[in-house]
Amino acid sequence: MPVVTLNRAELEEMVGADVHTIVELLPRLGADVECVDDEIQVEFFPNRPDLFSVEGAARAIKGMMGLEKGLPAYATSPSGIEIGVDPSVNAVRPHVVCAVVRGITIDERTIKSLIDLQEDLHWGVGRDRRKASIGIHDLSRVCPPFRYILGEVAFIPLDFSEPMTPAEILRVHPKGKEYAHIVGDHHPLILDANDHVLSFPPIINGELTRVTDKTTDLFIDVTGIELKAIQDCLHILVAALHDRGASIETVDVVYGGGDRVLRTPNMGISTLVVKNSDVMRRIGTEIADEVITTSLQKMRMDAEAHAGEITVSVPCYRTDIMHPVDIIEDIAIGFGYENLPPSFPKLGTIGSKLEEEQRSTVVRGVLQGLGFLEVITLMLASDPNEAVIIENPLLEEHISLRTSLLPGLIDTLALNQHREYPQMVFEVGDVVRLVAKAAEERRLCAGVIASSSANFTEIKKVVNAVLRELDRPFEVTESGDPSFIEGRRATIIVNGQAVGTFGETDPDILVQHKLIYPVAAFEFRL
Amino acid sequence: MVQLSKNDWTLFRALKRAKRATIEALSKDASLKTEAVLQSAYLLQTEGLAEIKETIETVYELTAEGVTYADKGLPERQVHDYLLINGPTLLTDLKGIFPAVSIAIGWLKRREWAIIETANGDSVLSPRAADELPEERILQDVKVGIQFTLNDVSVERQVAEPTLKELEKRNVVRAQQIVSREVALTQAGDETPLRASPAADYDIADLTSELIRTGAWRGRLKPYDVSAATLPLYPGKAHPLRRLIDEMREIFISMGFTEFRGPIVESEFHNFDVLFVPQDHPARDEQDTFYLSRPAALELPTELVERVAAAHKFGCEGSVGWGGEFDLERSRRAVLRTHTTGSAFRYLVRHPQPPTMIFGIDRVFRRESMDSTHLPQFHQCEGTIHGEDLSLADLISVLKAVFERLGFDRVRFRPGYFPFTEPSLEGDVFVDGSWLELVGAGVFRPEVTQPLGLKSVLGFSIGIERIAMLKMGLADIRKLYMSDVAWLRDTPSVLR
């Protein structure tokens, strides 16, 4: 989950409360405070990217504290600036939305906060820039109208001093190398009226439009493969800048030379209707309309109740609201989970255990009675034979799922060589085998005895006892299992079917595990 | 001080006289068997009255061969004696008399005790002078019990050394380690007075069936030191994690839940799509989930897939969905299930008629490196309730009841986030001065329940290993899966 760094002084200033009051309140917004210092590290839920900035967090906290209530207003006016979208970009990154932000005071703190929010949005909404990426520019350095095209115009990328072509940037620039896979051979560019490059999305901006402490007006572009995602990013970003005191102007995104015009950002509200009865049913308590409206106002929404229905106005940056249930959760949060009355569901169901688990419980009891200690080992294994194989393993010894419990038990013995002997351990657990190309899960029971007197007879006695208790008459035949000593290994046959093996473990295996006492082992399918 | 037995007092008395003596000497002096002396000596040592000093010495003793030679002489001496008595003799004849003549001949030559001449294809041996050898003297010494101990530094011992080595090479003597114990009175022992009068004459240690039948045990059974330590005895037992799992199973069954299971090898469809997790959600990255190359893809139920795909693309009643494309190839991909929530919905699809309360405790997999708090696989307890009009309040009440039965009475619930529930919550318990998150839960979204034809569904997932670590005071989660037999033996069956 995203960990967002908030500047403590800024947060206190924007909220108008001290940090302790704020930190106390954050868990009620579903945030986990990780560190409080000059900077506060907060882990927010990934569905609330609007909280990923000090401005957004302050906005929500003020609501919870009752310092500000209801929907914040975001006025926009047209900037008169246009950006033309060339159809060629459809091949790689078809969408762009833009905004102009004026009258902002930029200092070091603001730049850091902007970059942090940009990066958090790239991760949280943009899926590491693939779905959406943001460019922020000093508007005074360029000359509109702008064009969004595929091209190969050379420019000086950020942090470099020489002009480079987009292809060179992908080869040489660190950001180019990191994100080249998103664009491949198509190089989207945003140019101004004089063919100066503002940005090579989603890779890098031009040095030309670098934001400095002298910048007062910004041009923002968000490009991507999904219109909703890039609009979400733009709304969250400009709402934050607006909260800092800037004014917002729209940009016209022009398609097909004027056939279609999209005016962005659209900071309008959306409305959803929620029934009081639905709220009651989902939350589990009666809530008066006034309580619902107050709760929603605390969550920075507006609500009007009429005849059992609540009409809710949702701000544009609340990208997580998809369905009335999302509103209902906000009502519950505003109401307080701790204020819900006790209410155990009266369903009248009768509990029952799985038969397979019951059988496992019986066999565990028998082995414990015989003096065996139960162990639980990992299901990830290293043997690819007849096994399910992991495509992206983390460790060489964890490339597959186990097909037998015995290797885990031998490993357990190897771990315990310095412990008192005799050692008798068992495991009842699942293995997964590849049968006819499909994964087949099986519940097995296996045990080992390690001692100077462990032998075929000792383990056969155990197998006899366990299967007698399970009421499963069985026969044995000689086995060819290579993990046991030839002539001292047997197959367990129940109803004509081989269900397991037992015998004396091959000394070569013991030597591999540096075991010095004989080991006798069994394994069978439950 | 523990109660000393009659034997203990007897030994103590002897030791007070001797101050320091070997076990054997004390045995003789106190008229006790050596085992009894040892037993009492250890007790006196525990009480601080005496100290047992062990010395390990290497001494030489005769081998079986050595015993014969000590009696009859070395082979070369035997042959030489024969030659002295019988004069020059043919080798062929000697072979008939001495089976080991070849050994003797070698030594006779080396020691120049005989002249060997060849005539008519046979050898004739004539005796020469032969003084007594140092080997022969030492052989006699060993025979009569003079011990040549390795740590002896006397001149004789030093002179004897090469000869002993020679004899050891010839397998006539062998080095043997001997543990000798001496008991010494300690300062405290010296100061502790002897008891005035010994107690009654308890002379029977072990009750036998004979003694029981005859009643001869009366008044004669030796009292024990009831505080004496015994060797530990360990029963076979369940793994602590299993005991916790079983405890939780009992709790859920008592609350009316039915146990369920689902497959470990799961499709992305059942693991993610069914739960309305968008196909480009970060949790579905190769970063966090184990994907399979064998089997790489799984068969899917066509009709169900269509309904779920529609919810992803267009939402359900009152919702907009994720938009974009729904990739069927992606849905078919096989993964190791990352949670048991998908398994619960498999059950609900098979049993769509409410009311249903189910639970399952099983393994789940996450692509995480192992450290003291993370494992690539762990256990999750999944609980799912399906009914008409179930609420967040119901869910919180059920969870409170579960945690109360698990012994956590201070719990709190706060907002949470999961892509498939709304409202969502996380539950913490208060242990040892801090809040610890144990459960994630929520009311499933209509985008999850409607395509499956379900009413309202509550769900929760409890992390088992976290509770286990709490209850067992474990700092390292790996200990649960890499069992130390001593830890298993020593961990009580009763959980905290």
Side-chain angles (χ1 to χ4, degrees):
Chain A
M1 281 201 285
V3 177
V4 179
T5 306
L6 307 173
N7 184 294
R8 173 178 167 167
E10 268 193 320
L11 186 64
E12 286 184 327
E13 212 170 285
M14 282 187 189
V15 176
D18 75 294
V19 76
H20 302 292
T21 318
I22 294 170
V23 164
E24 194 98 325
L25 197 87
L26 279 170
R28 289 185 54 200
L29 275 169
D32 202 1
V33 183
E34 296 197 335
C35 166
V36 181
D37 212 333
D38 283 348
E39 291 192 324
I40 309 169
Q41 309 246 301
V42 189
E43 193 175 340
F44 286 109
F45 292 127
N47 67 328
R48 289 294 304 271
D50 60 300
L51 300 176
F52 293 0
S53 67
V54 68
E55 299 87 357
R59 193 188 306 136
I61 293 164
K62 280 190 278 191
M64 293 291 278
M65 291 176 74
L67 297 172
E68 272 180 21
K69 271 187 185 178
L71 206 60
Y74 294 101
T76 57
S77 58
S79 67
I81 294 175
E82 285 184 3
I83 179 164
V85 181
D86 189 90
S88 61
V89 297
N90 285 336
V92 54
R93 208 163 176 80
H95 301 291
V96 63
V97 290
C98 303
V100 167
V101 174
R102 291 191 196 272
I104 186 143
T105 322
I106 303 257
D107 57 15
E108 217 172 283
R109 235 168 48 172
T110 324
I111 291 184
K112 182 175 184 310
S113 159
L114 261 179
I115 290 173
D116 283 352
L117 175 57
Q118 189 182 358
E119 285 309 313
D120 287 333
L121 291 174
H122 279 164
W123 186 90
V125 182
R127 303 282 188 254
D128 207 12
R129 304 195 184 189
R130 190 178 57 80
K131 221 166 148 184
S133 68
I134 303 161
I136 305 174
H137 312 276
D138 185 334
L139 180 59
S140 69
R141 307 298 306 270
V142 281
C143 182
F146 303 113
R147 284 179 301 141
Y148 179 41
I149 60 162
L150 287 190
E152 205 53 40
V153 184
F155 67 101
I156 305 175
L158 274 180
D159 303 327
F160 273 62
S161 51
E162 296 299 318
M164 296 161 90
T165 65
E168 282 169 342
I169 289 172
L170 294 187
R171 273 201 316 274
V172 179
H173 198 283
K175 293 287 173 199
K177 287 193 268 189
E178 191 176 347
Y179 295 104
H181 64 275
I182 301 179
V183 290
D185 295 333
H186 306 288
H187 303 149
L189 294 174
I190 296 174
L191 307 177
D192 81 345
N194 304 321
D195 281 352
H196 291 143
V197 175
L198 282 75
S199 165
F200 170 19
I203 314 294
I204 190 87
N205 283 356
E207 185 65 39
L208 176 69
T209 54
R210 179 190 277 277
V211 175
T212 67
D213 53 8
K214 296 191 181 59
T215 306
T216 55
D217 298 339
L218 302 175
F219 177 75
I220 297 170
D221 76 80
V222 188
T223 59
I225 55 171
E226 209 176 273
L227 194 56
K228 180 177 185 311
I230 62 175
Q231 282 178 325
D232 288 349
C233 285
L234 187 66
H235 294 156
I236 289 166
L237 188 61
V238 297
L241 290 166
H242 181 274
D243 288 4
R244 260 183 198 277
S247 61
I248 300 171
E249 294 179 6
T250 56
V251 172
D252 287 343
V253 182
V254 181
Y255 294 91
D259 296 349
R260 197 159 64 83
V261 176
L262 178 68
R263 181 161 285 187
T264 65
N266 176 5
M267 303 295 280
I269 52 167
S270 49
T271 52
L272 264 145
V273 176
V274 183
K275 287 190 190 134
N276 186 314
S277 55
D278 285 345
V279 176
M280 222 177 71
R281 267 209 296 271
R282 208 160 181 94
I283 297 183
T285 186
E286 281 191 31
I287 306 185
D289 285 349
E290 307 83 79
V291 179
I292 293 179
T293 32
T294 319
S295 294
L296 287 173
Q297 280 170 347
K298 275 165 114 182
M299 303 304 287
R300 305 311 304 265
M301 289 183 247
D302 276 347
E304 253 178 75
H306 179 70
E309 287 190 343
I310 301 113
T311 308
V312 187
S313 306
V314 183
C316 61
Y317 57 80
R318 280 300 298 273
T319 58
D320 59 309
I321 307 281
M322 303 172 68
H323 187 277
V325 292
D326 298 301
I327 301 283
I328 294 175
E329 180 177 72
D330 272 32
I331 296 170
I333 294 171
F335 182 79
Y337 285 13
E338 64 282 5
N339 299 324
L340 291 175
S343 133
F344 199 88
K346 294 168 191 66
L347 298 180
T349 56
I350 292 166
S352 67
K353 293 176 183 172
L354 278 175
E355 204 202 311
E356 189 177 24
E357 297 298 338
Q358 284 291 77
R359 212 165 34 236
S360 299
T361 304
V362 170
V363 76
R364 282 188 188 110
V366 173
L367 281 161
Q368 286 159 27
L370 292 169
F372 282 76
L373 280 175
E374 184 182 19
V375 296
I376 298 179
T377 62
L378 293 175
M379 278 191 80
L380 297 171
S382 58
D383 184 2
N385 204 21
E386 288 178 52
V388 161
I389 305 283
I390 295 168
E391 184 187 292
N392 55 340
L394 274 174
L395 296 174
E396 255 173 64
E397 60 261 39
H398 290 167
I399 57 151
S400 62
L401 287 183
R402 65 182 178 190
T403 56
S404 161
L405 302 175
L406 287 174
L409 294 183
I410 298 287
D411 285 343
T412 303
L413 293 178
L415 277 175
N416 284 286
Q417 288 170 50
H418 50 294
R419 298 303 184 199
E420 195 182 322
Y421 282 90
Q423 291 174 8
M424 305 201 291
V425 294
F426 79 97
E427 178 166 10
V428 175
D430 298 322
V431 301
V432 185
R433 252 171 205 279
L434 203 72
V435 179
K437 291 184 182 171
E440 190 185 290
E441 278 174 42
R442 294 174 183 181
R443 174 70 48 99
L444 303 186
C445 166
V448 291
I449 303 176
S451 82
S452 51
S453 59
N455 60 25
F456 185 84
T457 312
E458 289 306 302
I459 208 72
K460 188 170 183 180
K461 281 197 248 176
V462 172
V463 171
N464 272 326
V466 174
L467 289 168
R468 186 195 315 123
E469 295 303 315
L470 288 174
D471 197 16
R472 283 169 90 184
F474 70 102
E475 295 161 41
V476 294
T477 57
E478 223 169 276
S479 155
D481 189 330
S483 57
F484 297 102
I485 300 171
E486 195 179 344
R488 298 180 173 202
R489 55 193 178 190
T491 304
I492 306 171
I493 296 174
V494 175
N495 293 332
Q497 275 212 305
V499 298
T501 47
F502 65 90
E504 292 179 18
T505 301
D506 185 343
D508 283 343
I509 295 176
L510 302 182
V511 169
Q512 271 167 32
H513 289 83
K514 301 197 168 68
L515 289 166
I516 55 163
Y517 288 113
V519 171
F522 72 90
E523 175 167 69
F524 65 86
R525 194 171 172 175
L526 267 186
Chain B
M1 190 164 88
V2 300
Q3 195 182 354
L4 298 185
S5 71
K6 188 183 161 207
N7 280 359
D8 303 335
W9 283 114
T10 311
L11 179 73
F12 191 41
R13 190 173 297 115
L15 193 58
K16 279 214 163 230
R17 279 197 297 273
K19 305 289 184 207
R20 182 185 178 118
T22 62
I23 297 288
E24 292 70 26
L26 286 169
S27 162
K28 217 181 264 174
D29 193 27
S31 309
L32 291 169
K33 285 187 177 165
T34 50
E35 293 82 32
V37 171
L38 255 181
Q39 201 181 342
S40 292
Y42 274 113
L43 186 82
L44 293 179
Q45 177 167 265
T46 315
E47 293 303 313
L49 302 174
E51 199 179 345
I52 299 171
K53 295 182 174 166
E54 285 190 0
T55 43
I56 298 170
E57 284 189 318
T58 307
V59 303
Y60 288 94
E61 62 173 26
L62 294 177
T63 62
E65 224 169 310
V67 172
T68 320
Y69 294 163
D71 208 28
K72 295 184 177 165
L74 293 169
E76 59 270 34
R77 175 64 67 192
Q78 291 178 36
V79 176
H80 188 263
D81 285 351
Y82 181 89
L83 293 177
L84 276 183
I85 296 163
N86 299 301
T89 313
L90 279 174
L91 183 58
T92 341
D93 296 339
L94 285 174
K95 274 183 186 159
I97 303 158
F98 302 101
V101 77
S102 53
I103 299 172
I105 303 257
W107 286 105
L108 287 169
K109 275 192 201 164
R110 245 171 87 178
R111 301 196 193 287
E112 296 178 350
W113 282 5
I115 300 167
I116 303 172
E117 291 158 321
T118 312
N120 306 329
D122 201 348
S123 303
V124 179
L125 283 82
S126 321
R128 296 185 61 187
D131 293 335
E132 192 189 17
L133 295 165
E135 279 94 335
E136 291 173 302
R137 272 199 306 279
I138 286 175
L139 197 55
Q140 291 311 314
D141 288 346
V142 175
K143 186 186 172 189
V144 299
I146 294 174
Q147 288 181 345
F148 292 90
T149 61
L150 264 186
N151 13 14
D152 187 347
V153 290
S154 68
V155 179
E156 288 138 306
R157 172 71 179 75
Q158 299 306 316
V159 172
E161 178 70 27
T163 316
L164 281 163
K165 287 276 175 234
E166 199 63 46
L167 286 172
E168 197 180 5
K169 250 188 258 166
R170 290 186 69 177
N171 193 30
V172 176
V173 299
R174 67 171 157 245
Q176 179 85 353
Q177 290 202 324
I178 288 183
V179 181
S180 66
R181 292 187 185 81
E182 275 195 332
V183 187
L185 199 65
T186 61
Q187 175 88 26
D190 201 30
E191 287 159 7
T192 305
L194 279 168
R195 198 177 46 175
S197 64
D201 205 9
Y202 301 126
D203 61 345
I204 297 174
D206 298 322
L207 201 54
T208 63
S209 65
E210 171 75 9
L211 290 170
I212 294 169
R213 197 171 49 76
T214 58
W217 58 273
R218 282 177 209 288
R220 291 172 60 198
L221 282 179
K222 190 176 146 185
Y224 293 143
D225 169 10
V226 294
S227 68
T230 60
L231 281 176
L233 184 65
Y234 298 106
K237 54 186 168 179
H239 189 278
L241 186 62
R242 177 74 54 205
R243 290 198 292 274
L244 174 65
I245 291 173
D246 279 345
E247 185 184 329
M248 294 187 65
R249 291 175 65 228
E250 293 302 333
I251 290 170
F252 282 105
I253 286 153
S254 77
M255 289 171 68
F257 284 79
T258 289
E259 193 171 25
F260 80 94
R261 287 192 73 196
I264 289 167
V265 171
E266 189 57 285
S267 62
E268 272 205 60
F269 176 75
H270 281 103
N271 198 70
F272 295 118
D273 293 335
V274 163
L275 299 173
F276 198 57
V277 178
Q279 290 198 317
D280 66 352
H281 193 277
R284 301 175 74 153
D285 281 355
E286 301 243 328
Q287 206 74 341
D288 302 322
T289 302
F290 283 123
Y291 285 85
L292 300 181
S293 53
R294 196 175 81 184
L298 302 177
E299 288 295 310
L300 299 180
T302 324
E303 198 252 346
L304 188 65
V305 171
E306 274 168 23
R307 279 185 275 152
V308 170
H312 274 249
K313 283 191 280 191
F314 316 115
C316 63
E317 196 191 317
S319 143
V320 287
W322 299 117
E325 283 305 302
F326 187 84
D327 181 0
L328 262 177
E329 283 310 307
R330 168 124 227 183
S331 298
R332 283 196 195 97
R333 287 180 71 184
V335 299
L336 295 184
R337 68 166 166 219
T338 59
H339 47 66
T340 39
T341 316
S343 302
F345 277 92
R346 276 182 175 271
Y347 182 95
L348 292 182
V349 166
R350 280 201 315 276
H351 307 88
Q353 202 56 45
T356 309
M357 287 172 75
I358 53 168
F359 84 98
I361 303 177
D362 219 333
R363 304 199 192 214
V364 298
F365 299 80
R366 301 275 165 90
R367 195 168 175 273
E368 293 204 48
S369 303
M370 277 202 262
D371 61 30
S372 61
T373 53
H374 295 92
L375 284 176
Q377 68 137 81
F378 51 93
H379 284 80
Q380 223 169 38
C381 171
E382 187 78 26
T384 312
I385 307 174
H386 179 208
E388 308 269 354
D389 299 335
L390 295 171
S391 69
L392 182 64
D394 292 329
L395 178 59
I396 288 177
S397 297
V398 169
L399 288 173
K400 267 189 185 153
V402 170
F403 283 119
E404 212 168 88
R405 281 163 172 75
L406 273 171
F408 302 110
D409 32 20
R410 249 186 105 180
V411 292
R412 74 169 182 196
F413 299 96
R414 54 194 168 77
Y417 170 72
F418 306 100
F420 34 86
T421 52
E422 197 78 19
S424 307
L425 65 85
E426 283 177 0
D428 307 325
V429 298
F430 194 77
V431 185
D432 298 337
S434 61
W435 291 100
L436 189 85
E437 184 191 326
L438 285 188
V439 64
V443 185
F444 282 95
R445 298 187 68 96
E447 291 93 336
V448 177
T449 53
Q450 278 181 25
L452 306 182
L454 303 172
K455 303 281 194 309
S456 67
V457 181
L458 308 176
F460 54 87
S461 293
I462 303 174
I464 301 294
E465 278 78 0
R466 273 202 167 182
I467 301 182
M469 288 171 79
L470 265 187
K471 291 199 171 245
M472 289 154 212
L474 278 186
D476 192 336
I477 193 171
R478 290 169 290 198
K479 197 156 189 169
L480 293 170
Y481 290 91
M482 285 156 200
S483 291
D484 178 344
V485 164
W487 177 69
L488 292 178
R489 283 171 175 159
D490 290 333
T491 304
S493 290
V494 172
L495 295 172
R496 206 171 116 191

